[in-house]
Amino acid sequence: MLGTIILFASCHPQSDLQQLPYQLEYLEAAHPLSFSPMRIPAENPLTKAGVALGRKLFFDPILSKDSSIACSSCHQPELAFTDGKAFSTGVEGRIGRRSAMSLLNVGFYAKGLFWDGRVATLEEQSLHPVRDTLEMRHSWPVLLQKLQTHAEYPGLFRRAFGIKNRREIDSILVGKALAQYERTLISANTKFDRVMREEIQFTPQEKRGWTIFFDASPAVPTSECNHCHVDPLFSTLNFENNGLVAALSLDDYQDKGRGAVTGNRNDNGLFRVPTLRNLKYTAPYMHDGRFKTLDEVLDHYASGGHPGLNVSPNVRKLRLSKQDRADLIAFLNTLNDEK
């Protein structure tokens, strides 16, 4: 805790919340060993009340048009904050375009968010699902009216942000609260992490899988995994084409991914490299959920994928034996959080 500020504001006819005390309790951002420091915007520090408000909003279906789904519907804690579907389901049974990404360690993402990197910050990212017609499909003016007239939310926003009147509740504060909560979702105590801290050791099979993953010895075959899945996040956070789709030209990708954001044809078919943490809970895999198992994922990479003008050079045919694959998966399982 960095400090405490207590303000008691005098009553004002237009300030229906000022009778409530405003007390900020700052929280330290998590900084696990080997992780780069989390970037916290100066205008949205982590506070006890802000995180609590963000958590309540995250699990509350009030954010959706018909109050049928919440953020947690597509980002379920027991599934490493994914939903176990190839394509997420929004209000009225509407089917989304991509698989829900895990939110674990999202506070450390410094190269944009979503599969296509369309937004730069968590504060902005939190606003998109509310108005997306395939997700929550809500109107911000209507939602804000619901929050402003709610029995609990005005007081919670007062405690988190010091507002004096319920009419000050706006989308910016909603985004800030959700961002604060999401920055607390950390995966940094898996078996891999404990091995790196020299608290425990890999089994011989996991150790050999580690060696294959990191191409750490000429005695094992090359896997190319570590070029895109760099620890501790197990992602470079870059955008790559991993040869999932057969495309004769850069214009043949039905889902253009990063290219739809940048307008650059060379970015068509590129998607964020996802984290490999908690793969046990995040199937199906890839942005379109096409692979149900890790064996299917390894089949794809062993085949070398589909050729394309901007396919990553690290995607090429692999020579992995049945034992190599078993050892590699054993290592990948050390990246799972235990429940």
Side-chain angles (χ1 to χ4, degrees):
M1 187 182 302
L2 299 179
T4 301
I5 299 175
I6 302 178
L7 298 175
F8 292 91
S10 60
C11 293
H12 187 279
Q14 300 300 320
S15 304
D16 65 347
L17 299 176
Q18 286 204 90
Q19 73 276 14
L20 297 176
Y22 173 39
Q23 177 174 316
L24 282 184
E25 296 182 46
Y26 292 102
L27 302 175
E28 290 278 8
H31 187 189
L33 184 68
S34 79
F35 280 58
S36 298
M38 188 182 295
R39 299 178 183 179
I40 307 294
E43 67 276 11
N44 192 30
L46 291 181
T47 67
K48 184 176 180 179
V51 170
L53 172 58
R55 187 185 189 284
K56 181 173 176 62
L57 288 167
F58 188 88
F59 289 93
D60 195 338
I62 194 174
L63 297 186
S64 62
K65 179 182 178 181
D66 58 4
S67 295
S68 63
I69 64 170
C71 301
S72 59
S73 300
C74 295
H75 300 285
Q76 301 170 26
E78 63 272 21
L79 295 178
F81 290 89
T82 63
D83 62 4
K85 301 177 182 179
F87 301 99
S88 298
T89 304
V91 298
E92 302 169 350
R94 293 168 180 248
I95 305 300
R97 295 189 302 124
R98 297 171 185 154
S99 182
M101 299 190 79
S102 173
L103 295 182
L104 290 173
N105 294 331
V106 72
F108 296 99
Y109 285 20
K111 297 182 180 180
L113 298 152
F114 292 106
W115 282 103
D116 53 19
R118 78 189 78 152
V119 301
T121 68
L122 272 175
E123 283 75 9
E124 182 184 358
Q125 180 273 331
S126 299
L127 305 180
H128 281 241
V130 171
R131 61 176 180 259
D132 192 309
T133 58
L134 297 180
E135 297 186 56
M136 294 178 165
R137 203 187 178 204
H138 214 332
S139 159
W140 271 108
V142 175
L143 170 57
L144 294 177
Q145 185 177 36
K146 289 197 296 186
L147 294 174
Q148 291 166 2
T149 58
H150 194 272
E152 297 179 68
Y153 276 117
L156 296 176
F157 275 91
R158 164 68 176 172
R159 293 181 176 88
F161 299 110
I163 63 173
K164 299 176 181 179
N165 190 290
R166 63 186 64 227
R167 290 194 297 272
E168 294 178 56
I169 298 174
D170 61 12
S171 61
I172 301 302
L173 295 184
V174 172
K176 283 185 174 182
L178 287 168
Q180 285 192 46
Y181 170 64
E182 289 171 3
R183 290 190 173 102
T184 69
L185 307 179
I186 306 297
S187 170
N189 196 37
T190 64
K191 183 173 184 178
F192 167 82
D193 297 304
R194 297 197 299 276
V195 171
M196 293 300 102
R197 296 195 298 262
E198 299 183 347
E199 298 171 1
I200 57 175
Q201 294 183 334
F202 288 131
T203 66
Q205 183 179 32
E206 293 165 350
K207 178 63 175 179
R208 187 170 184 274
W210 176 93
T211 306
I212 294 172
F213 183 93
F214 286 99
D215 298 334
S217 169
V220 299
T222 298
S223 71
E224 307 286 0
C225 300
N226 184 49
H227 294 294
C228 294
H229 298 285
V230 178
D231 63 315
L233 294 179
F234 285 89
S235 170
T236 58
L237 303 180
N238 292 332
F239 302 91
E240 304 281 358
N241 182 343
N242 60 348
L244 286 180
V245 178
L248 296 178
S249 79
L250 293 174
D251 298 315
D252 289 343
Y253 294 99
Q254 183 175 357
D255 186 343
K256 291 183 170 47
R258 182 66 175 159
V261 175
T262 65
N264 185 337
R265 291 178 67 248
N266 292 319
D267 290 338
N268 288 350
L270 272 60
F271 295 90
R272 176 185 303 287
V273 175
T275 180
L276 297 185
R277 286 180 176 268
N278 286 292
L279 288 174
K280 177 179 179 180
Y281 312 111
T282 58
Y285 307 109
M286 306 297 169
H287 70 276
D288 56 5
R290 65 177 56 203
F291 299 135
K292 296 180 180 179
T293 67
L294 289 180
D295 277 319
E296 291 180 10
V297 173
L298 291 181
D299 285 342
H300 167 72
Y301 286 117
S303 74
H306 295 285
L309 294 176
N310 60 357
V311 171
S312 169
N314 296 313
V315 178
R316 59 183 183 82
K317 287 188 176 182
L318 303 176
R319 296 181 179 179
L320 298 176
S321 68
K322 184 177 180 180
Q323 187 63 56
D324 296 333
R325 289 168 61 131
D327 294 348
L328 185 55
I329 289 177
F331 167 70
L332 291 174
N333 282 329
T334 71
L335 304 180
N336 296 320
D337 285 296
E338 298 177 0
K339 295 186 177 181

Short mmCIF file of all heavy atoms in Angstrom, two decimals, residues 184-237:
data_model
loop_
_atom_site.label_atom_id
_atom_site.label_comp_id
_atom_site.label_asym_id
_atom_site.label_seq_id
_atom_site.Cartn_x
_atom_site.Cartn_y
_atom_site.Cartn_z
N THR A 184 -5.12 -7.27 -12.11
CA THR A 184 -4.83 -8.16 -10.97
C THR A 184 -4.86 -9.63 -11.37
O THR A 184 -4.60 -10.49 -10.52
CB THR A 184 -5.84 -7.93 -9.83
OG1 THR A 184 -7.15 -8.40 -10.22
CG2 THR A 184 -5.92 -6.46 -9.44
N LEU A 185 -5.16 -9.93 -12.62
CA LEU A 185 -5.28 -11.33 -13.07
C LEU A 185 -3.90 -11.81 -13.51
O LEU A 185 -3.47 -11.57 -14.63
CB LEU A 185 -6.30 -11.42 -14.21
CG LEU A 185 -7.67 -10.81 -13.92
CD1 LEU A 185 -8.58 -10.94 -15.14
CD2 LEU A 185 -8.30 -11.45 -12.69
N ILE A 186 -3.22 -12.48 -12.61
CA ILE A 186 -1.81 -12.82 -12.82
C ILE A 186 -1.61 -14.34 -12.81
O ILE A 186 -2.16 -15.04 -11.97
CB ILE A 186 -0.93 -12.21 -11.71
CG1 ILE A 186 -1.15 -10.70 -11.60
CG2 ILE A 186 0.55 -12.52 -11.98
CD1 ILE A 186 -0.77 -9.91 -12.82
N SER A 187 -0.82 -14.81 -13.77
CA SER A 187 -0.34 -16.19 -13.76
C SER A 187 1.18 -16.14 -13.67
O SER A 187 1.85 -15.75 -14.63
CB SER A 187 -0.76 -16.93 -15.04
OG SER A 187 -0.11 -18.19 -15.12
N ALA A 188 1.72 -16.50 -12.51
CA ALA A 188 3.17 -16.43 -12.33
C ALA A 188 3.66 -17.42 -11.28
O ALA A 188 4.74 -17.26 -10.72
CB ALA A 188 3.59 -15.01 -11.95
N ASN A 189 2.84 -18.45 -11.00
CA ASN A 189 3.24 -19.41 -9.98
C ASN A 189 2.98 -20.84 -10.44
O ASN A 189 2.59 -21.71 -9.67
CB ASN A 189 2.49 -19.14 -8.66
CG ASN A 189 3.13 -19.84 -7.49
OD1 ASN A 189 4.36 -19.94 -7.41
ND2 ASN A 189 2.32 -20.34 -6.57
N THR A 190 3.19 -21.09 -11.73
CA THR A 190 3.07 -22.43 -12.28
C THR A 190 4.29 -23.26 -11.87
O THR A 190 5.23 -22.74 -11.26
CB THR A 190 2.99 -22.39 -13.81
OG1 THR A 190 4.24 -21.87 -14.31
CG2 THR A 190 1.85 -21.48 -14.27
N LYS A 191 4.27 -24.52 -12.23
CA LYS A 191 5.46 -25.34 -11.95
C LYS A 191 6.67 -24.76 -12.66
O LYS A 191 7.77 -24.72 -12.08
CB LYS A 191 5.24 -26.79 -12.40
CG LYS A 191 6.43 -27.68 -12.07
CD LYS A 191 6.17 -29.15 -12.36
CE LYS A 191 7.35 -29.99 -11.91
NZ LYS A 191 7.12 -31.45 -12.12
N PHE A 192 6.50 -24.29 -13.89
CA PHE A 192 7.61 -23.66 -14.61
C PHE A 192 8.19 -22.51 -13.80
O PHE A 192 9.42 -22.39 -13.66
CB PHE A 192 7.13 -23.14 -15.97
CG PHE A 192 8.11 -22.23 -16.65
CD1 PHE A 192 9.18 -22.74 -17.37
CD2 PHE A 192 7.99 -20.85 -16.54
CE1 PHE A 192 10.10 -21.89 -17.99
CE2 PHE A 192 8.91 -19.99 -17.15
CZ PHE A 192 9.96 -20.53 -17.87
N ASP A 193 7.33 -21.65 -13.26
CA ASP A 193 7.80 -20.50 -12.50
C ASP A 193 8.55 -20.95 -11.25
O ASP A 193 9.59 -20.37 -10.88
CB ASP A 193 6.63 -19.60 -12.10
CG ASP A 193 5.92 -19.02 -13.31
OD1 ASP A 193 6.58 -18.37 -14.12
OD2 ASP A 193 4.69 -19.23 -13.44
N ARG A 194 8.05 -21.98 -10.59
CA ARG A 194 8.70 -22.46 -9.38
C ARG A 194 10.04 -23.11 -9.69
O ARG A 194 10.99 -23.00 -8.90
CB ARG A 194 7.78 -23.42 -8.63
CG ARG A 194 6.48 -22.75 -8.16
CD ARG A 194 5.77 -23.57 -7.08
NE ARG A 194 5.39 -24.89 -7.55
CZ ARG A 194 4.28 -25.15 -8.23
NH1 ARG A 194 3.44 -24.17 -8.56
NH2 ARG A 194 3.98 -26.38 -8.60
N VAL A 195 10.12 -23.77 -10.85
CA VAL A 195 11.42 -24.32 -11.27
C VAL A 195 12.40 -23.19 -11.54
O VAL A 195 13.58 -23.25 -11.13
CB VAL A 195 11.26 -25.22 -12.50
CG1 VAL A 195 12.63 -25.60 -13.07
CG2 VAL A 195 10.47 -26.48 -12.17
N MET A 196 11.95 -22.15 -12.22
CA MET A 196 12.83 -21.02 -12.51
C MET A 196 13.31 -20.33 -11.23
O MET A 196 14.41 -19.78 -11.19
CB MET A 196 12.11 -20.01 -13.40
CG MET A 196 11.79 -20.50 -14.81
SD MET A 196 13.26 -20.98 -15.77
CE MET A 196 13.19 -22.78 -15.64
N ARG A 197 12.49 -20.41 -10.17
CA ARG A 197 12.89 -19.83 -8.89
C ARG A 197 13.71 -20.82 -8.06
O ARG A 197 14.04 -20.54 -6.91
CB ARG A 197 11.65 -19.38 -8.10
CG ARG A 197 10.87 -18.27 -8.76
CD ARG A 197 9.89 -17.60 -7.79
NE ARG A 197 8.87 -18.51 -7.28
CZ ARG A 197 7.63 -18.62 -7.77
NH1 ARG A 197 7.27 -17.87 -8.81
NH2 ARG A 197 6.76 -19.46 -7.24
N GLU A 198 13.99 -21.98 -8.66
CA GLU A 198 14.80 -23.03 -8.03
C GLU A 198 14.16 -23.56 -6.75
O GLU A 198 14.85 -23.98 -5.81
CB GLU A 198 16.23 -22.53 -7.75
CG GLU A 198 16.96 -22.13 -9.03
CD GLU A 198 18.40 -21.71 -8.77
OE1 GLU A 198 18.75 -21.51 -7.58
OE2 GLU A 198 19.16 -21.61 -9.74
N GLU A 199 12.83 -23.58 -6.74
CA GLU A 199 12.10 -24.14 -5.60
C GLU A 199 11.86 -25.64 -5.77
O GLU A 199 11.81 -26.37 -4.78
CB GLU A 199 10.77 -23.41 -5.44
CG GLU A 199 10.90 -21.92 -5.14
CD GLU A 199 9.57 -21.18 -5.20
OE1 GLU A 199 8.52 -21.82 -5.46
OE2 GLU A 199 9.58 -19.96 -5.00
N ILE A 200 11.68 -26.07 -7.02
CA ILE A 200 11.46 -27.48 -7.35
C ILE A 200 12.20 -27.77 -8.64
O ILE A 200 12.84 -26.87 -9.22
CB ILE A 200 9.95 -27.81 -7.50
CG1 ILE A 200 9.32 -26.91 -8.58
CG2 ILE A 200 9.22 -27.66 -6.17
CD1 ILE A 200 7.86 -27.26 -8.87
N GLN A 201 12.08 -29.00 -9.13
CA GLN A 201 12.76 -29.39 -10.37
C GLN A 201 11.77 -30.02 -11.35
O GLN A 201 10.74 -30.57 -10.95
CB GLN A 201 13.89 -30.39 -10.08
CG GLN A 201 15.03 -29.81 -9.27
CD GLN A 201 16.15 -30.83 -9.07
OE1 GLN A 201 15.92 -32.04 -9.10
NE2 GLN A 201 17.37 -30.34 -8.89
N PHE A 202 12.10 -29.93 -12.63
CA PHE A 202 11.35 -30.65 -13.65
C PHE A 202 11.58 -32.14 -13.49
O PHE A 202 12.63 -32.58 -13.00
CB PHE A 202 11.83 -30.25 -15.06
CG PHE A 202 11.44 -28.88 -15.52
CD1 PHE A 202 12.39 -28.02 -16.06
CD2 PHE A 202 10.12 -28.45 -15.45
CE1 PHE A 202 12.04 -26.77 -16.51
CE2 PHE A 202 9.76 -27.20 -15.89
CZ PHE A 202 10.72 -26.35 -16.43
N THR A 203 10.61 -32.93 -13.97
CA THR A 203 10.86 -34.35 -14.15
C THR A 203 11.79 -34.51 -15.36
O THR A 203 11.93 -33.57 -16.16
CB THR A 203 9.56 -35.11 -14.42
OG1 THR A 203 9.03 -34.69 -15.69
CG2 THR A 203 8.53 -34.87 -13.32
N PRO A 204 12.43 -35.66 -15.54
CA PRO A 204 13.28 -35.85 -16.72
C PRO A 204 12.52 -35.60 -18.02
O PRO A 204 13.08 -35.01 -18.97
CB PRO A 204 13.73 -37.30 -16.59
CG PRO A 204 13.74 -37.56 -15.12
CD PRO A 204 12.56 -36.80 -14.60
N GLN A 205 11.26 -36.03 -18.11
CA GLN A 205 10.49 -35.81 -19.34
C GLN A 205 10.21 -34.33 -19.54
O GLN A 205 10.35 -33.81 -20.66
CB GLN A 205 9.18 -36.58 -19.29
CG GLN A 205 8.37 -36.46 -20.59
CD GLN A 205 7.08 -37.25 -20.57
OE1 GLN A 205 6.46 -37.41 -19.52
NE2 GLN A 205 6.66 -37.76 -21.73
N GLU A 206 9.82 -33.63 -18.49
CA GLU A 206 9.57 -32.19 -18.61
C GLU A 206 10.84 -31.45 -18.98
O GLU A 206 10.80 -30.51 -19.79
CB GLU A 206 9.03 -31.65 -17.28
CG GLU A 206 7.63 -32.16 -16.93
CD GLU A 206 7.27 -31.91 -15.48
OE1 GLU A 206 8.17 -31.51 -14.69
OE2 GLU A 206 6.09 -32.11 -15.11
N LYS A 207 11.97 -31.86 -18.42
CA LYS A 207 13.24 -31.21 -18.73
C LYS A 207 13.61 -31.40 -20.20
O LYS A 207 14.06 -30.45 -20.86
CB LYS A 207 14.34 -31.79 -17.84
CG LYS A 207 15.73 -31.20 -18.11
CD LYS A 207 15.78 -29.72 -17.82
CE LYS A 207 17.21 -29.19 -17.99
NZ LYS A 207 17.29 -27.73 -17.73
N ARG A 208 13.39 -32.61 -20.73
CA ARG A 208 13.67 -32.82 -22.15
C ARG A 208 12.72 -31.99 -23.01
O ARG A 208 13.10 -31.43 -24.03
CB ARG A 208 13.55 -34.31 -22.51
CG ARG A 208 14.01 -34.61 -23.94
CD ARG A 208 14.12 -36.09 -24.20
NE ARG A 208 14.65 -36.33 -25.54
CZ ARG A 208 13.92 -36.39 -26.64
NH1 ARG A 208 12.59 -36.27 -26.55
NH2 ARG A 208 14.47 -36.60 -27.81
N GLY A 209 11.44 -31.91 -22.57
CA GLY A 209 10.49 -31.07 -23.30
C GLY A 209 10.90 -29.61 -23.28
O GLY A 209 10.75 -28.90 -24.28
N TRP A 210 11.41 -29.15 -22.14
CA TRP A 210 11.94 -27.78 -22.03
C TRP A 210 13.06 -27.57 -23.04
O TRP A 210 13.12 -26.53 -23.73
CB TRP A 210 12.45 -27.55 -20.61
CG TRP A 210 13.11 -26.21 -20.37
CD1 TRP A 210 12.52 -25.09 -19.92
CD2 TRP A 210 14.50 -25.90 -20.55
NE1 TRP A 210 13.44 -24.06 -19.81
CE2 TRP A 210 14.67 -24.54 -20.19
CE3 TRP A 210 15.61 -26.62 -20.98
CZ2 TRP A 210 15.91 -23.90 -20.25
CZ3 TRP A 210 16.85 -25.98 -21.05
CH2 TRP A 210 16.99 -24.63 -20.69
N THR A 211 13.95 -28.55 -23.16
CA THR A 211 15.08 -28.45 -24.08
C THR A 211 14.60 -28.37 -25.52
O THR A 211 15.13 -27.60 -26.33
CB THR A 211 16.02 -29.66 -23.90
OG1 THR A 211 16.39 -29.77 -22.53
CG2 THR A 211 17.27 -29.50 -24.75
N ILE A 212 13.57 -29.16 -25.87
CA ILE A 212 13.01 -29.12 -27.22
C ILE A 212 12.33 -27.77 -27.47
O ILE A 212 12.50 -27.16 -28.51
CB ILE A 212 12.01 -30.27 -27.42
CG1 ILE A 212 12.73 -31.63 -27.36
CG2 ILE A 212 11.26 -30.13 -28.75
CD1 ILE A 212 11.79 -32.82 -27.35
N PHE A 213 11.57 -27.31 -26.49
CA PHE A 213 10.83 -26.05 -26.64
C PHE A 213 11.78 -24.89 -26.92
O PHE A 213 11.52 -24.06 -27.80
CB PHE A 213 10.02 -25.77 -25.38
CG PHE A 213 9.15 -24.54 -25.45
CD1 PHE A 213 7.83 -24.64 -25.86
CD2 PHE A 213 9.65 -23.29 -25.12
CE1 PHE A 213 7.03 -23.51 -25.95
CE2 PHE A 213 8.87 -22.15 -25.20
CZ PHE A 213 7.54 -22.26 -25.62
N PHE A 214 12.87 -24.83 -26.17
CA PHE A 214 13.79 -23.70 -26.29
C PHE A 214 14.93 -23.96 -27.27
O PHE A 214 15.85 -23.14 -27.37
CB PHE A 214 14.35 -23.34 -24.91
CG PHE A 214 13.36 -22.64 -24.01
CD1 PHE A 214 12.67 -23.35 -23.05
CD2 PHE A 214 13.10 -21.29 -24.15
CE1 PHE A 214 11.75 -22.72 -22.22
CE2 PHE A 214 12.18 -20.65 -23.33
CZ PHE A 214 11.50 -21.36 -22.37
N ASP A 215 14.86 -25.09 -28.01
CA ASP A 215 15.95 -25.43 -28.94
C ASP A 215 17.30 -25.30 -28.25
O ASP A 215 18.25 -24.68 -28.76
CB ASP A 215 15.90 -24.53 -30.19
CG ASP A 215 14.62 -24.68 -30.97
OD1 ASP A 215 14.01 -25.76 -30.90
OD2 ASP A 215 14.23 -23.74 -31.66
N ALA A 216 17.37 -25.87 -27.04
CA ALA A 216 18.51 -25.61 -26.17
C ALA A 216 19.66 -26.59 -26.30
O ALA A 216 20.68 -26.44 -25.63
CB ALA A 216 18.04 -25.60 -24.70
N SER A 217 19.51 -27.60 -27.17
CA SER A 217 20.59 -28.59 -27.31
C SER A 217 20.55 -29.20 -28.70
O SER A 217 19.46 -29.53 -29.21
CB SER A 217 20.45 -29.68 -26.25
OG SER A 217 21.32 -30.75 -26.52
N PRO A 218 21.71 -29.41 -29.33
CA PRO A 218 21.73 -30.09 -30.62
C PRO A 218 21.34 -31.56 -30.52
O PRO A 218 21.12 -32.23 -31.54
CB PRO A 218 23.19 -29.94 -31.08
CG PRO A 218 23.96 -29.74 -29.81
CD PRO A 218 23.05 -28.99 -28.90
N ALA A 219 21.23 -32.06 -29.29
CA ALA A 219 20.88 -33.46 -29.09
C ALA A 219 19.38 -33.71 -29.24
O ALA A 219 18.95 -34.86 -29.28
CB ALA A 219 21.34 -33.91 -27.71
N VAL A 220 18.59 -32.66 -29.33
CA VAL A 220 17.15 -32.81 -29.51
C VAL A 220 16.72 -32.08 -30.77
O VAL A 220 17.41 -31.17 -31.24
CB VAL A 220 16.36 -32.25 -28.30
CG1 VAL A 220 16.74 -32.99 -27.03
CG2 VAL A 220 16.58 -30.75 -28.14
N PRO A 221 15.59 -32.46 -31.37
CA PRO A 221 15.15 -31.80 -32.60
C PRO A 221 14.70 -30.36 -32.35
O PRO A 221 14.32 -29.99 -31.24
CB PRO A 221 13.98 -32.68 -33.06
CG PRO A 221 13.49 -33.34 -31.82
CD PRO A 221 14.70 -33.57 -30.98
N THR A 222 14.75 -29.57 -33.39
CA THR A 222 14.32 -28.17 -33.32
C THR A 222 12.79 -28.10 -33.34
O THR A 222 12.14 -28.79 -34.12
CB THR A 222 14.88 -27.39 -34.51
OG1 THR A 222 16.31 -27.42 -34.44
CG2 THR A 222 14.41 -25.95 -34.50
N SER A 223 12.23 -27.23 -32.50
CA SER A 223 10.78 -27.07 -32.47
C SER A 223 10.32 -25.70 -32.94
O SER A 223 9.18 -25.53 -33.32
CB SER A 223 10.26 -27.31 -31.05
OG SER A 223 10.62 -26.23 -30.20
N GLU A 224 11.21 -24.70 -32.86
CA GLU A 224 10.91 -23.31 -33.24
C GLU A 224 9.92 -22.63 -32.30
O GLU A 224 9.53 -21.49 -32.54
CB GLU A 224 10.37 -23.24 -34.69
CG GLU A 224 11.23 -23.90 -35.74
CD GLU A 224 12.49 -23.11 -36.07
OE1 GLU A 224 12.69 -22.03 -35.47
OE2 GLU A 224 13.28 -23.56 -36.92
N CYS A 225 9.52 -23.29 -31.23
CA CYS A 225 8.48 -22.71 -30.36
C CYS A 225 8.90 -21.38 -29.75
O CYS A 225 8.12 -20.42 -29.69
CB CYS A 225 8.14 -23.68 -29.22
SG CYS A 225 7.51 -25.28 -29.73
N ASN A 226 10.12 -21.32 -29.24
CA ASN A 226 10.56 -20.18 -28.45
C ASN A 226 10.72 -18.89 -29.26
O ASN A 226 10.84 -17.82 -28.67
CB ASN A 226 11.88 -20.52 -27.75
CG ASN A 226 12.35 -19.42 -26.83
OD1 ASN A 226 11.58 -18.91 -26.02
ND2 ASN A 226 13.61 -19.04 -26.95
N HIS A 227 10.72 -18.98 -30.58
CA HIS A 227 10.85 -17.76 -31.37
C HIS A 227 9.63 -16.85 -31.19
O HIS A 227 9.76 -15.62 -31.24
CB HIS A 227 11.03 -18.09 -32.85
CG HIS A 227 12.31 -18.80 -33.16
ND1 HIS A 227 13.55 -18.20 -33.01
CD2 HIS A 227 12.56 -20.07 -33.58
CE1 HIS A 227 14.50 -19.06 -33.34
NE2 HIS A 227 13.93 -20.20 -33.69
N CYS A 228 8.47 -17.46 -31.02
CA CYS A 228 7.24 -16.67 -30.88
C CYS A 228 6.67 -16.70 -29.46
O CYS A 228 5.92 -15.80 -29.08
CB CYS A 228 6.17 -17.19 -31.85
SG CYS A 228 6.57 -16.95 -33.59
N HIS A 229 7.03 -17.73 -28.70
CA HIS A 229 6.47 -17.89 -27.35
C HIS A 229 7.60 -17.73 -26.34
O HIS A 229 8.15 -18.71 -25.84
CB HIS A 229 5.77 -19.23 -27.23
CG HIS A 229 4.61 -19.38 -28.15
ND1 HIS A 229 3.40 -18.76 -27.94
CD2 HIS A 229 4.49 -20.07 -29.33
CE1 HIS A 229 2.57 -19.06 -28.93
NE2 HIS A 229 3.20 -19.85 -29.79
N VAL A 230 7.92 -16.49 -26.06
CA VAL A 230 9.05 -16.15 -25.19
C VAL A 230 8.58 -16.03 -23.74
O VAL A 230 7.56 -15.39 -23.46
CB VAL A 230 9.70 -14.83 -25.66
CG1 VAL A 230 10.84 -14.43 -24.75
CG2 VAL A 230 10.18 -14.96 -27.10
N ASP A 231 9.33 -16.64 -22.83
CA ASP A 231 8.98 -16.52 -21.42
C ASP A 231 9.35 -15.11 -20.92
O ASP A 231 10.21 -14.46 -21.49
CB ASP A 231 9.69 -17.60 -20.60
CG ASP A 231 11.21 -17.47 -20.64
OD1 ASP A 231 11.77 -17.24 -21.73
OD2 ASP A 231 11.84 -17.58 -19.58
N PRO A 232 8.68 -14.61 -19.87
CA PRO A 232 7.75 -15.33 -19.01
C PRO A 232 6.29 -15.29 -19.49
O PRO A 232 5.47 -16.06 -19.01
CB PRO A 232 7.88 -14.59 -17.67
CG PRO A 232 8.14 -13.18 -18.08
CD PRO A 232 9.03 -13.28 -19.30
N LEU A 233 5.95 -14.40 -20.42
CA LEU A 233 4.57 -14.35 -20.90
C LEU A 233 4.26 -15.49 -21.85
O LEU A 233 3.11 -15.80 -22.10
CB LEU A 233 4.30 -13.02 -21.62
CG LEU A 233 4.36 -11.75 -20.76
CD1 LEU A 233 4.10 -10.52 -21.62
CD2 LEU A 233 3.34 -11.82 -19.63
N PHE A 234 5.31 -16.09 -22.40
CA PHE A 234 5.18 -17.12 -23.43
C PHE A 234 4.44 -16.58 -24.65
O PHE A 234 3.63 -17.25 -25.27
CB PHE A 234 4.58 -18.41 -22.88
CG PHE A 234 5.59 -19.16 -22.06
CD1 PHE A 234 5.74 -18.91 -20.71
CD2 PHE A 234 6.46 -20.06 -22.67
CE1 PHE A 234 6.73 -19.56 -19.96
CE2 PHE A 234 7.43 -20.72 -21.93
CZ PHE A 234 7.56 -20.46 -20.58
N SER A 235 4.77 -15.37 -24.97
CA SER A 235 4.34 -14.70 -26.20
C SER A 235 5.26 -13.51 -26.41
O SER A 235 5.68 -12.85 -25.44
CB SER A 235 2.90 -14.21 -26.11
OG SER A 235 2.57 -13.37 -27.21
N THR A 236 5.58 -13.22 -27.67
CA THR A 236 6.29 -11.97 -27.97
C THR A 236 5.32 -10.80 -28.00
O THR A 236 5.74 -9.65 -28.06
CB THR A 236 6.96 -12.07 -29.35
OG1 THR A 236 5.94 -12.34 -30.34
CG2 THR A 236 8.02 -13.16 -29.39
N LEU A 237 4.01 -11.10 -28.02
CA LEU A 237 2.93 -10.13 -28.19
C LEU A 237 2.88 -9.57 -29.60
O LEU A 237 2.09 -8.67 -29.89
CB LEU A 237 3.05 -8.98 -27.17
CG LEU A 237 3.06 -9.40 -25.69
CD1 LEU A 237 3.18 -8.15 -24.81
CD2 LEU A 237 1.81 -10.18 -25.33
#
